[in-house]
Amino acid sequence: MITILKPGLLTTIQDLGRFGFQKYGVITSGAMDQLAFRIANLLVGNQENQAGMEITLIGPTMRFETDLLISICGADITPMINGDKVRLFRPIFVKKGSILAFGTAQNGCRAYLAVAGGINVPFVMNSSSTYLRAKIGGFHGRKLKSGDRLLLQSPSAAARKMISKFTEKTPSNQFTEMNWFVDSGLFPKYKNNRIVRVITGREFDLFSKESQRKIFQESYVVTSKSDRMGYRLLGSPLFLEKQFEMLSEAVSFGTIQVPADGNPIVLLADRQTTGGYPRIAQIITVDFPVVAQAKPGDFLSFVRISHEEAQMLYIEREHEIKRLKKAIELKYY
Amino acid sequence: MVIVVEFRVRFYPLGDTAVILQIKEDSNCKQLHKIIQTLSAQLDHSPPVWMNEYIPSFQTVAIFYDPLKVPFTGSSFHFPYDYVCNELQQRMAKLPNSQSIDQEIVEIPICYGGELGPDLTFVANYNGLSIDEVIRIHSSGDYLVYMIGFSPGFPYLGGLSDKIAAPRRATPRLNIPARSVGIAGNQTGIYPIETPGGWQIIGRTPVNLFRPNHKIPSLLRAGDRIKFKAISLKEYLELEEKN
């Protein structure tokens, strides 16, 4: 069990999302940076989709009530165990009674905490993800608060072996970081000016020639009106050649839509299923983590690539994750 | 990128893991809706292995797919998108022309006006009608659910009488209570969960439209027909109790 001592700014339980119900208007939710989330799970011997914690900008403090194997991936929100800084992207064995405290994000926006076995929350519509607005999923459909006690699922056989190996080696109230870690070009550099690759959106041709140029020439700042639903961007405004009324239809993660005021909105994990604003561009899947780790004040610059390239990059990325998964499995045996 | 097929269908990518299938625009509204319903039923009945899910709307169906589940055929590499478009094209060609679709008629009770419908007076005044006339017109209409979107279980309904159309509020409300019934332009709809919104609120239903613990979490589905029934506050409270 894990007891939450301080909740942080926005700490929620997520998995890879709630799929199959968008036709009923139910949003997908799920981890914003799915790459970091998946790797965090793999590092502790979990399936990629097991429930973990998404930690945003200012992190929580928690006490581990049992010996555990954990990993933290994504943004560096200065995690400390019993006062000692711990490193990201590796499994960490922690003794019962240890306290994990996060600070504020040094780079990036969201960190993912995976525990061996995953967090035990009921499945709602096939998913553990928190859907804040509908108050369902995750931990009682809400963000975590002080005093919450999270139950855990039992770890995989491989993780159990690892835990028993380190139980004896580690003094009580202490922790052991594994000496191996994921050092992969996969993870985006968490810089303040991020290059994001896009393909053109369905209504791209309806934007003025000037707007079609500007979106690729100018950079756009992520404003404070940004959350898991979407980022509102500010920069050179984008306009249609002539106004037209669109009928609502499907949007997806990474859709860049532009309301009449000309300021683009990037749709993210908690987006609505359908939208009625013209879509100038669509961020490619492999660059979702770059966007998910941008925080208010960061700049995004969009670069256009072809749809074929985007699909090639997608396939390569998935193969790379498979290789990584194999390499981690070898470390466990 | 755009493929035109016999069935007067066009394909557009929605990012690298989805395709939007658009039925040609000059088909009439009801016919178009029927084609989309037939395709949806077909995708439910025999989902392709590479499909993750689909989202139907007024003119289109978006099909989300897993590029890694698209098979390699022989030695030549097909882009997942091209493969998926081809498969969908074949499905569309074989789509039955007049498949009978289960069409449910759902009766939804509404308590109009008062605290539950604070904008009913505005809608009446705007259209030069009495409150009773607005209620009579709204509750005697025959509505069709064109699509579900915006929030879980929210129906986009066709069939509102022009006589009670009303513009959106200039300033949207920050919180519209769940199950509120609204009018915006010539559309009417019901908010399944508490959300911000700019529609004119004319009443509330005691019936839950979003049911997360049901196998199908939305009370309504695209293609359903809806009848509204005016009920008293007393009946409303009794029915709400049962929820």
Side-chain angles (χ1 to χ4, degrees):
Chain A
M1 194 170 65
I2 298 174
T3 305
I4 303 297
L5 304 176
K6 272 194 254 168
L9 185 66
L10 173 64
T11 307
T12 57
I13 308 300
Q14 302 290 346
D15 60 14
L16 293 176
R18 185 169 280 114
F19 292 97
F21 301 95
Q22 288 198 83
K23 62 183 170 208
Y24 304 124
V26 178
I27 67 173
T28 65
S29 313
M32 288 275 278
D33 179 349
Q34 305 233 329
L35 177 66
F37 184 89
R38 291 164 74 184
I39 303 296
N41 262 330
L42 292 175
L43 281 169
V44 295
N46 285 354
Q47 300 296 315
E48 292 176 16
N49 195 28
Q50 272 167 276
M53 246 181 249
E54 180 176 278
I55 293 159
T56 319
L57 288 170
I58 302 167
T61 302
M62 66 195 80
R63 188 175 57 230
F64 299 112
E65 311 293 2
T66 167
D67 290 355
L68 262 182
L69 194 63
I70 66 165
S71 78
I72 303 161
C73 290
D76 181 2
I77 312 190
T78 55
M80 317 251 268
I81 297 179
N82 303 327
D84 290 330
K85 184 134 178 34
V86 286
R87 288 172 289 179
L88 276 60
F89 300 111
R90 71 193 70 217
I92 304 163
F93 173 78
V94 281
K95 275 282 205 187
K96 176 182 173 176
S98 299
I99 288 176
L100 168 64
F102 287 86
T104 53
Q106 296 307 299
N107 54 39
C109 184
R110 295 175 170 88
Y112 294 89
L113 172 69
V115 296
I119 293 162
N120 188 354
V121 289
F123 256 35
V124 179
M125 286 178 265
N126 302 337
S127 167
S128 313
S129 286
T130 313
Y131 180 176
L132 290 169
R133 200 177 271 289
K135 303 184 181 80
I136 60 161
F139 189 80
H140 299 294
R142 60 165 170 80
K143 62 180 186 176
L144 298 182
K145 57 186 189 196
S146 301
D148 284 347
R149 294 154 82 85
L150 307 175
L151 299 175
L152 308 175
Q153 308 262 25
S154 52
S156 64
R160 279 204 301 274
K161 227 168 70 183
M162 191 74 96
I163 290 169
S164 57
K165 188 169 138 194
F166 281 92
T167 302
E168 286 168 22
K169 284 189 191 172
T170 311
S172 64
N173 265 340
Q174 285 306 311
F175 67 94
T176 309
E177 286 179 329
M178 302 300 134
N179 56 7
W180 55 274
F181 56 96
V182 174
D183 178 21
S184 171
L186 282 177
F187 296 105
K189 299 282 170 281
Y190 303 138
K191 292 184 301 193
N192 294 334
N193 199 337
R194 293 145 190 266
I195 293 180
V196 177
R197 288 166 292 182
V198 300
I199 63 173
T200 52
R202 178 135 126 88
E203 287 80 29
F204 179 80
D205 292 338
L206 301 175
F207 282 83
S208 71
K209 288 278 172 285
E210 197 191 358
S211 294
Q212 290 182 18
R213 271 198 313 275
K214 274 188 171 162
I215 184 164
F216 301 120
Q217 284 170 349
E218 317 268 327
S219 45
Y220 288 82
V221 68
V222 177
T223 68
S224 58
K225 284 183 187 164
S226 296
D227 56 19
R228 282 179 44 88
M229 186 172 172
Y231 286 178
R232 287 171 183 271
L233 307 182
L234 213 53
S236 197
L238 305 167
F239 297 107
L240 294 171
E241 186 60 45
K242 57 173 197 276
Q243 280 304 319
F244 86 115
E245 276 303 308
M246 234 185 87
L247 286 172
S248 284
E249 68 174 32
V251 291
S252 74
F253 199 117
T255 298
I256 305 176
Q257 61 176 24
V258 188
D261 68 5
N263 299 317
I265 300 172
V266 181
L267 298 177
L268 299 164
D270 285 353
R271 69 197 175 278
Q272 296 173 187
T273 55
T274 55
Y277 294 123
R279 295 155 290 186
I280 193 164
Q282 173 73 40
I283 295 166
I284 68 169
T285 303
V286 299
D287 282 354
F288 290 170
V290 181
V291 179
Q293 292 294 356
K295 54 180 181 292
D298 288 345
F299 284 86
L300 304 178
S301 308
F302 301 109
V303 172
R304 179 181 180 169
I305 67 164
S306 73
H307 180 239
E308 285 83 359
E309 269 178 279
Q311 291 215 306
M312 287 307 292
L313 288 165
Y314 180 96
I315 292 166
E316 280 168 22
R317 166 67 56 88
E318 289 303 317
H319 286 310
E320 214 165 325
I321 292 173
K322 266 187 196 146
R323 282 196 292 275
L324 203 57
K325 187 177 173 180
K326 284 252 163 62
I328 292 170
E329 275 166 9
L330 284 173
K331 284 285 179 192
Y332 269 88
Y333 288 101
Chain B
M1 198 69 79
V2 176
I3 302 162
V4 183
V5 296
E6 286 175 1
F7 209 81
R8 293 181 301 161
V9 165
R10 282 178 151 215
F11 295 104
Y12 302 86
L14 175 64
D16 42 31
T17 60
V19 53
I20 288 178
L21 183 160
Q22 182 177 33
I23 318 286
K24 203 174 176 230
E25 282 173 0
D26 62 354
S27 324
N28 82 52
C29 213
K30 289 256 163 71
Q31 182 60 28
L32 205 148
H33 176 72
K34 203 169 169 194
I35 298 169
I36 286 174
Q37 282 305 105
T38 313
L39 175 62
S40 299
Q42 211 259 1
L43 290 172
D44 281 334
H45 182 259
S46 49
V49 286
W50 38 262
M51 184 177 81
N52 287 332
E53 63 178 319
Y54 70 90
I55 306 178
S57 61
F58 292 105
Q59 294 183 322
T60 64
V61 179
I63 292 111
F64 292 77
Y65 59 91
D66 180 349
L68 294 180
K69 287 196 182 139
V70 170
F72 286 88
T73 43
S75 56
S76 62
F77 173 79
H78 291 271
F79 276 100
Y81 177 74
D82 296 337
Y83 179 90
V84 165
C85 289
N86 249 309
E87 290 274 304
L88 289 169
Q89 185 177 340
Q90 284 173 31
R91 272 183 188 245
M92 290 305 284
K94 282 186 259 168
L95 210 61
N97 246 340
S98 58
Q99 185 173 319
S100 66
I101 297 160
D102 299 340
Q103 199 177 40
E104 293 217 30
I105 298 177
V106 185
E107 189 184 77
I108 295 182
I110 299 175
C111 177
Y112 289 97
E115 275 178 34
L116 304 182
D119 302 325
L120 182 63
T121 313
F122 172 85
V123 174
N125 292 342
Y126 182 82
N127 289 293
L129 298 168
S130 71
I131 281 174
D132 284 345
E133 282 170 311
V134 175
I135 295 174
R136 189 185 52 75
I137 294 168
H138 193 261
S139 60
S140 62
D142 178 15
Y143 302 93
L144 175 65
V145 180
Y146 277 99
M147 63 180 272
I148 304 285
F150 171 65
S151 72
F154 182 94
Y156 284 83
L157 299 175
L160 183 75
S161 164
D162 290 342
K163 291 178 196 152
I164 55 170
R168 276 164 218 264
R169 290 172 57 85
T171 314
R173 286 193 174 91
L174 288 176
N175 276 309
I176 304 223
R179 298 180 273 106
S180 292
V181 179
I183 287 178
N186 54 7
Q187 289 194 89
T188 184
I190 307 165
Y191 287 87
I193 61 171
E194 188 180 289
T195 34
W199 292 33
Q200 305 287 351
I201 303 304
I202 60 166
R204 204 182 297 174
T205 173
V207 175
N208 280 325
L209 273 74
F210 177 49
R211 312 181 299 176
N213 297 319
H214 285 62
K215 194 173 167 218
I216 292 171
S218 174
L219 172 72
L220 303 172
R221 304 165 76 170
D224 286 347
R225 306 205 77 91
I226 290 188
K227 295 270 188 194
F228 293 127
K229 182 190 167 199
I231 56 168
S232 67
L233 184 59
K234 186 168 168 281
E235 288 171 293
Y236 171 89
L237 292 170
E238 279 167 13
L239 287 166
E240 195 182 40
E241 192 96 329
K242 285 185 197 157
N243 269 336

